[in-house]
Amino acid sequence: MADDRDREGTEITVAEFHKKIKEAFEVFDHESNNTVDVREIGTIIRSLGCCPSEGELHDLIAEVEEEEPTGYIRFEKFLLVMTEVLLERRYRPIPEDILHRAFEVLDPAKRGFLSKEELIKYMTEEGEPFSQEEMEEMLSAAIDPESNSVHYKDYITMMVIDEN
C-alpha cells in the first residue's frame, strides 16, 4: 500500500512540475513553436525556484541543447531535464541565515549595510564577477536611493524564495 501511495504522490508532483515548467517555458516561447532562445534558459530555470551558478547553468544548457546547437532549446528536451532537476531538488536557493552571515563577512563593523561602492567592489572583483548588466539589475533592486547603500537584512528578505 505504501508503495502505491508514494508512487501516486510522485506522479502528482511530476504532473505539477510539468505544468509549472510548461507555463514558465511558454512565457519565452514567442513563436509558439515549443522552442525558446537559449539565452532565456537561465531566467526560466530561476523562475522555477532554482539557483544554479553560471557553471551549473552552462552544464544544464549543454544537457538540453541539440547535438548541433541552433541557439534554441526544444520544450520536450527541457521538460525531461527540468523535471529531473526539480524532483532531485537541485540548485536550491541558499537559506536566509547563510546569506545574512555572508553579508556580515563583508560588513565587519556590523553596520547592517554596505555602501554602493563597497557592493560594486565585492561583486566585480571577488569570486565569479558580475557582468555590468547583472550589476545594474542588482543595484536597482538592492540600493536604497536615500542612503545610496544596501541594507542587507531588507535585501535578503526581498531576495529569498519562499519554498511553499
Side-chain angles (χ1 to χ4, degrees):
M1 258 328 212
D3 286 343
D4 284 347
R5 253 184 277 131
D6 289 346
R7 190 168 40 251
E8 195 173 296
T10 301
E11 284 170 15
I12 291 167
T13 303
V14 168
E16 287 171 359
F17 285 158
H18 281 190
K19 184 174 183 283
K20 277 180 158 177
I21 294 165
K22 184 164 184 53
E23 287 170 356
F25 194 90
E26 284 176 344
V27 169
F28 295 94
D29 183 4
H30 304 299
E31 305 294 319
S32 298
N33 62 358
N34 283 329
T35 65
V36 296
D37 188 305
V38 69
R39 293 169 296 191
E40 306 287 11
I41 291 297
T43 304
I44 297 168
I45 290 169
R46 289 182 183 104
S47 78
L48 292 165
C50 297
C51 301
S53 68
E54 285 303 310
E56 290 166 333
L57 180 59
H58 185 76
D59 292 345
L60 261 176
I61 288 171
E63 206 175 327
V64 295
E65 239 174 353
E66 299 302 309
E67 294 296 318
E68 290 295 317
T70 61
Y72 290 90
I73 302 298
R74 286 186 19 254
F75 175 70
E76 298 77 27
K77 208 160 183 187
F78 182 74
L79 180 67
L80 289 173
V81 172
M82 215 45 225
T83 301
E84 189 178 305
V85 165
L86 292 174
L87 281 170
E88 293 174 4
R89 299 178 58 79
R90 270 193 268 165
Y91 315 123
R92 299 313 309 152
I94 297 170
E96 195 168 342
D97 61 319
I98 292 175
L99 287 173
H100 197 267
R101 286 201 307 261
F103 271 105
E104 284 182 336
V105 167
L106 304 177
D107 176 26
K110 307 279 185 271
R111 301 168 302 179
F113 67 90
L114 297 173
S115 71
K116 180 178 180 179
E117 293 70 29
E118 288 171 316
L119 191 61
I120 290 171
K121 179 182 183 296
Y122 292 132
M123 297 299 142
T124 57
E125 295 177 13
E126 304 291 329
E128 196 174 299
F130 277 40
S131 68
Q132 184 65 37
E133 187 181 324
E134 289 169 326
M135 203 61 237
E136 287 169 13
E137 193 176 315
M138 182 180 145
L139 290 174
S140 73
I143 296 294
D144 171 30
E146 288 180 22
S147 66
N148 211 26
S149 60
V150 61
H151 296 271
Y152 50 83
K153 191 170 177 29
D154 298 336
Y155 182 60
I156 291 168
T157 303
M158 183 179 72
M159 273 191 335
V160 170
I161 296 168
D162 184 7
E163 295 229 34
N164 297 324

